[in-house]
Amino acid sequence: MKPIETIMRTAPVIPVLVIEDVAHAVPVARALVAGGLRVLEVTLRTPVALDVIRAMRSVEGAIVGAGTVTDPATLKASIDAGAEFIVSPGLTERLGAAAVSSGIPYLPGVANAGDIMRGLDLGLTHFKFFPAVTSGGLPALKALAAPFHQCQFCPTGGITLESAPEWLGFGPVLCVGGSWVVGKGAPDVTAIEAAARAAAALSDTPGL
């Protein structure tokens, strides 16, 4: 099993995090891990994101990665900050080659057959289907997965706690990305832990 697959199989939901204050990093990570979600994607959408990754790495049990990585420079900065895996919204040959050569577990974004073929050329077989809902939803992913039977996916973008079970019920889907687990602003750790428990429990849903 590839390292990225091990990460994807750790929990049914990977929280997609936009953290604007480093002081929120550790409380959010602790609440998510306590709720059963150990894999945390910190998006590089705020000026403090790299510091958030560093802070979250101190939380026992957390597997912290960087999301919204778009070029080799941010890839290197993320790795230097301690990111344990990398997620990108799309896939270019330049970024893909840099990620593969670094050896870090990498989950690139794909939305069509050409994207997947570009990834396969780089030796990649695990992808983030993004943006999932506006790219045609589950019917589109099923159509894409048919000719690419060797690939597995983490759909992200527009997925909710209510819609996640349908996605997770499709065999090639190992997990989903979810921004619903943690809201913006000062963290309500009790609410975050409860949301994490509900998301983690999706692995117990009959039929999954």
Side-chain angles (χ1 to χ4, degrees):
M1 188 180 297
K2 293 186 177 181
I4 188 62
E5 182 171 340
T6 301
I7 290 171
M8 293 169 73
R9 289 185 180 276
T10 300
V13 178
I14 297 178
V16 179
L17 307 173
V18 181
I19 308 293
E20 298 177 341
D21 187 337
V22 178
H24 298 163
V26 169
V28 167
R30 283 178 176 161
L32 290 168
V33 171
L37 300 184
R38 296 176 53 216
V39 180
L40 315 179
E41 178 189 336
V42 178
T43 62
L44 303 186
R45 301 181 191 179
T46 68
V48 298
L50 295 174
D51 290 329
V52 168
I53 291 171
R54 292 186 185 95
M56 286 188 170
R57 281 295 309 274
S58 69
V59 175
E60 185 176 356
I63 302 169
V64 186
T68 324
V69 174
T70 56
D71 54 56
T74 50
L75 169 72
K76 183 181 185 303
S78 300
I79 294 172
D80 290 345
E84 296 172 88
F85 65 95
I86 297 293
V87 183
S88 61
L91 176 60
T92 65
E93 291 181 15
R94 193 166 71 102
L95 174 59
V100 169
S101 66
S102 77
I104 195 166
Y106 176 46
L107 191 65
V110 298
N112 54 53
D115 291 343
I116 295 172
M117 291 170 68
R118 192 177 305 117
L120 290 173
D121 284 346
L122 292 163
L124 302 167
T125 54
H126 293 71
F127 302 101
K128 164 181 160 178
F129 180 53
F130 177 82
V133 172
T134 57
S135 294
L138 187 53
L141 181 57
K142 287 182 176 180
L144 283 171
F148 301 111
H149 56 85
Q150 69 273 56
C151 298
Q152 294 175 304
F153 301 91
C154 173
T156 304
I159 295 173
T160 65
L161 179 65
E162 291 72 29
S163 66
E166 185 177 9
W167 289 92
L168 291 165
F170 180 46
V173 171
L174 300 185
C175 59
V176 300
S179 58
W180 79 83
V181 183
V182 178
K184 291 186 177 181
D188 179 340
V189 293
T190 301
I192 292 171
E193 183 174 342
R197 288 191 187 282
L202 292 173
S203 61
D204 301 322
T205 301
L208 295 189

